[in-house]
Amino acid sequence: MTVQELPGAASYRPTPPPAWKPRTDPAPLLPDPEPYRVLGTDAVTGFAPELLRRLHSELVRGRRYNAQATALTKQGRLAVYPSTTGQEACEVAAALVLEERDWLFPSYRDTLAAVARGLDPVQALTLLRGDWHTGYDPREHRIAPLCTPLATQLPHAVGLAHAARLKGDDVVALAMVGDGGTSEGDFHEALNFAAVWQAPVVFLVQNNGFAISVPLAKQTAAPSLAHKAVGYGMPGRLVDGNDAVAVHQVLSEAVARARRGGGPTLVEAVTYRIDAHTNADDATRYRGDSEVETWRQHDPIQLLERELTERGLLDEDGIRQAAEDAEAMAARLRERMNADAELNPMDLFDHVFADQTTQLHEQAEQLRAELDAEAEGDVR
């Protein structure tokens, strides 16, 4: 039987669907067409000189930290180091915009952000040294464990932020991820969860051009990574990731918005990874020297230093003091990392479960007996 043969088919008229309207106006969520900048504009005058000088000194310190950590890998003191040379503005700004009560969720590349937040540089590098666990107490420092699997820290950040809001705690979580991490399912799940629940979380995507050797053009067809925010119902911000003042401002606004109940924000910072992916990577296989040199001309330290000196906010003494402080930090780090870590094999059983299982107890006792026997043999 055809539709025309059905009773009453001649008089049938389909009911039009209800008028559809978007739940929210997407226009306010869209990022600027160009990355937001402060340096080189009159907007610089609206920032406190103390903040500008603090950003400069932290950038210089961060650059020296990156260089020293890279050198430690060549000396065998670190197993691996993913450098953030060229990305210091993102790292430093992310740390400085947070209050003490807030939480930072870094990736494996974001040890500098943890150090800028106040973490001991040696503790920040402990995991990359091949030592036990995280290397620091996340609760004490409000810094989540460095996350090596791509983007898995993002749902954790959303969960913490959502739980804090339910408890009435005035806490914001800032989660850092690279452009490669935006290709992972965890990224999309985290953004959807955060937007639906209006969690007080800020996502900072450091678009440094490559996911190891894969350029951004082979990861996404979106106009920008910041545009991905619109599909989830949150604002997207696009910022020059080498302009430390602009990154600080955009992140500060996003954190303030989250704190007052406005929900999450996705910030894309356009920057560049000057060094290779890690010390184990040969970046010359997938990019040319001319490309790297072009980005060196947009160096975050040079941009800020030139701006401050031209405006009379930084002199030669200030530049020299920042360099000396950075060198002193590097010397302390080098000295402490040159000492072999004192490892206790029994630490293997700590922090696995809050209450150890019977099997873990048995394994621990077996190892303890072996260690005692070995110690007695050394005495004899």
Side-chain angles (χ1 to χ4, degrees):
M1 180 180 291
T2 66
V3 173
Q4 287 76 17
E5 295 173 331
L6 291 173
S11 60
Y12 172 75
R13 294 292 184 273
T15 302
W20 181 88
K21 294 181 179 179
R23 296 176 60 186
T24 57
D25 181 5
L29 306 180
L30 288 168
D32 294 333
E34 296 290 334
Y36 176 71
R37 297 180 177 89
V38 170
L39 297 178
T41 73
D42 291 336
V44 178
T45 59
F47 294 84
E50 295 78 11
L51 171 62
L52 299 177
R53 286 190 285 266
R54 171 79 185 281
L55 285 170
H56 173 263
S57 63
E58 290 290 348
L59 290 183
V60 173
R61 182 170 177 257
R63 178 65 55 82
R64 187 66 187 89
Y65 167 82
N66 271 314
Q68 186 59 68
T70 299
L72 288 169
T73 63
K74 298 177 181 179
Q75 299 164 8
R77 291 298 179 182
L78 284 180
V80 66
Y81 183 67
S83 173
T84 51
T85 296
Q87 301 177 220
E88 291 93 348
C90 301
E91 298 283 309
V92 167
L96 296 189
V97 298
L98 296 176
E99 300 290 341
E100 185 176 350
R101 62 187 180 278
D102 296 330
W103 275 79
L104 178 70
F105 282 78
S107 74
Y108 61 93
R109 191 177 296 280
D110 302 316
T111 57
L112 174 54
V115 170
R117 183 155 167 76
L119 184 63
D120 181 346
V122 172
Q123 290 184 325
L125 294 172
T126 295
L127 181 66
L128 301 175
R129 193 181 191 179
D131 205 337
W132 65 279
H133 300 298
T134 301
Y136 56 90
D137 183 347
R139 291 174 181 256
E140 176 186 353
H141 300 282
R142 298 282 177 138
I143 302 173
L146 295 170
C147 191
T148 300
L150 293 187
T152 56
Q153 74 274 21
L154 304 187
H156 299 165
V158 177
L160 183 141
H162 180 52
R165 192 185 66 167
L166 292 178
K167 292 171 60 179
D169 294 342
D170 185 20
V171 168
V172 173
L174 193 156
M176 306 177 71
V177 68
D179 52 287
T182 66
S183 298
E184 296 289 330
D186 298 80
F187 171 82
H188 301 279
E189 292 159 5
L191 263 64
N192 191 57
F193 181 17
V196 169
W197 291 101
Q198 289 292 283
V201 61
V202 176
F203 302 98
L204 172 59
V205 178
Q206 296 180 84
N207 177 6
N208 63 21
F210 293 91
I212 308 183
S213 60
V214 181
L216 184 65
K218 293 186 177 181
Q219 297 181 61
T220 180
S224 74
L225 295 175
H227 277 80
K228 293 180 182 290
V230 183
Y232 295 101
M234 70 177 71
R237 296 295 308 275
L238 186 62
V239 62
D240 182 345
N242 287 18
D243 184 334
V245 186
V247 179
H248 188 279
Q249 179 185 347
V250 168
L251 288 179
S252 293
E253 292 171 353
V255 168
R257 179 177 179 272
R259 201 181 304 281
R260 64 173 179 265
T265 302
L266 173 65
V267 177
E268 177 189 355
V270 181
T271 183
Y272 194 78
R273 192 190 73 214
I274 294 296
D275 290 342
H277 173 68
T278 69
N279 54 292
D281 174 42
D282 179 9
T284 62
R285 298 178 62 184
Y286 53 85
R287 66 183 188 185
D289 293 340
S290 60
E291 177 180 319
V292 178
E293 186 57 34
T294 298
W295 276 95
R296 287 188 188 277
Q297 304 308 311
H298 195 62
D299 181 89
I301 298 178
Q302 295 178 9
L303 291 176
L304 184 56
E305 197 168 282
R306 181 167 59 244
E307 185 85 26
L308 298 187
T309 53
E310 289 178 353
R311 293 182 180 274
L313 299 176
L314 186 67
D315 55 20
E316 290 298 326
D317 288 340
I319 295 174
R320 183 174 57 255
Q321 186 62 56
E324 291 176 355
D325 291 346
E327 191 58 45
M329 177 275 300
R332 292 191 299 271
L333 175 60
R334 186 168 57 248
E335 179 182 3
R336 294 173 62 198
M337 290 294 288
N338 281 339
D340 291 331
E342 296 182 5
L343 304 180
N344 181 0
M346 296 305 299
D347 287 343
L348 287 169
F349 303 96
D350 294 337
H351 313 297
V352 179
F353 293 102
D355 296 316
Q356 286 193 0
T357 63
T358 301
Q359 186 179 32
L360 278 179
H361 274 297
E362 293 174 352
Q363 293 175 357
E365 289 304 317
Q366 180 180 351
L367 177 58
R368 183 176 291 108
E370 293 175 359
L371 293 173
D372 289 343
E374 182 178 323
E376 291 178 2
D378 291 341
V379 171
R380 293 172 187 170

